[in-house]
Amino acid sequence: MLGSVAAAFAYVGSVDPNQPGHYPACPLLRLTGIYCPGCGGLRSAHAFIHGDLVTALGANAPAVIGYGLFAVLWVVWAVRAARGQPLRIVPRPAVLWSAGALVLLFTIVRNLPFGGWLHP
């Protein structure tokens, strides 16, 4: 899995999503003009790879949080696997509902007139 994620990040780091024609447009944005929670994720990853954390957070802050969460979970899994201990993550329903509510709130606010600062 780490190899796949590293390859994807390497590709996004080398092929700039800010240049038109390299990646398909978000279908929801293209058809409705509504920003989905993932809009700006590629630009965020590109900026993150190049060390521009401010631009990465501006393009899609939840994506940057996701990159960090993935890295932490992968390190915890690798350490536990090296020790022969299984890693079992069973989030409580309240955690899952809260995460879903935060993503929904982010999506709603970024599409409201005063949420323009959340546009990618």
Side-chain angles (χ1 to χ4, degrees), residues 66-92:
Y67 310 149
L69 184 61
F70 176 82
V72 168
L73 287 175
W74 190 86
V75 168
V76 169
W77 170 81
V79 168
R80 290 184 63 92
R83 294 179 180 167
Q85 302 168 335
L87 176 63
R88 183 165 179 184
I89 300 172
V90 183
R92 295 181 180 183

Side-chain angles (χ1 to χ4, degrees), residues 4 9 13 23 28 39 48 57 64-65 67 77-79 81 107 109 120:
S4 297
F9 265 85
Y23 299 98
L28 183 66
C39 280
F48 186 81
L57 287 167
V64 175
I65 294 167
Y67 310 149
W77 170 81
V79 168
T107 304
V109 170

